[in-house]
Amino acid sequence: QVQLVESGGGSVQAGGSLKLSCRASGFTYITYCMGWFRQAPGKEREGLAVTDSDGITGYSDDVKGRFTISQDDAKNTITLQMDNLKPSDTAMYYCAAESGYCWRPRADDFRIWGQGTQITVTS
């Protein structure tokens, strides 16, 4: 059974940076996709960035150039470096995983989800 555990959430002032990590356990997929999503109160879950077992990455237009997804295969971990954070980035952030390749962060493509970690950006 695949489990995902996020870490690195917290509070930061606008313009600051945070780095999220997601560690996967029980992972047996040869090809896989992992990604980051977020959900603010009263809003739908929003895709941010994905990376797959071929190292392909994809970003939403809203975070392209500010957020960077990367993976550490040895540690079964993906990270999301978030720079120039804005108050509108405040949300619960989730890690997700699925078998197969991917190129876009679309929530409907993922079946396995972490519990989430809160990010609050203050002005």
Side-chain angles (χ1 to χ4, degrees), residues 82-105:
M82 303 181 291
D83 299 317
N84 191 22
L85 284 162
K86 308 172 183 179
S88 58
D89 292 317
T90 295
M92 185 70 79
Y93 283 67
Y94 298 90
C95 173
E98 185 54 77
S99 60
Y101 299 108
C102 60
W103 67 94
R104 60 183 176 182

Side-chain angles (χ1 to χ4, degrees), residues 61-74:
D61 289 341
D62 188 49
V63 304
K64 194 177 298 182
R66 296 193 300 127
F67 293 6
T68 304
I69 190 170
S70 61
Q71 58 179 299
D72 184 337
D73 293 340

Side-chain angles (χ1 to χ4, degrees), residues 13-27:
Q13 288 189 328
S17 299
L18 281 174
K19 188 173 185 177
L20 301 180
S21 294
C22 173
R23 183 177 176 87
S25 60
F27 225 60

Side-chain angles (χ1 to χ4, degrees), residues 14-91:
S17 299
L18 281 174
K19 188 173 185 177
L20 301 180
S21 294
C22 173
R23 183 177 176 87
S25 60
F27 225 60
T28 59
Y29 302 136
I30 296 175
T31 61
Y32 62 84
C33 175
M34 295 184 71
W36 288 98
F37 298 79
R38 69 186 178 191
Q39 189 166 20
K43 294 188 176 182
E44 293 187 356
R45 191 163 293 190
E46 173 189 10
L48 303 176
V50 293
T51 182
D52 68 16
S53 45
D54 271 2
I56 302 297
T57 59
Y59 295 89
S60 70
D61 289 341
D62 188 49
V63 304
K64 194 177 298 182
R66 296 193 300 127
F67 293 6
T68 304
I69 190 170
S70 61
Q71 58 179 299
D72 184 337
D73 293 340
K75 298 181 180 180
N76 289 335
T77 299
I78 63 168
T79 61
L80 186 69
Q81 175 67 41
M82 303 181 291
D83 299 317
N84 191 22
L85 284 162
K86 308 172 183 179
S88 58
D89 292 317
T90 295

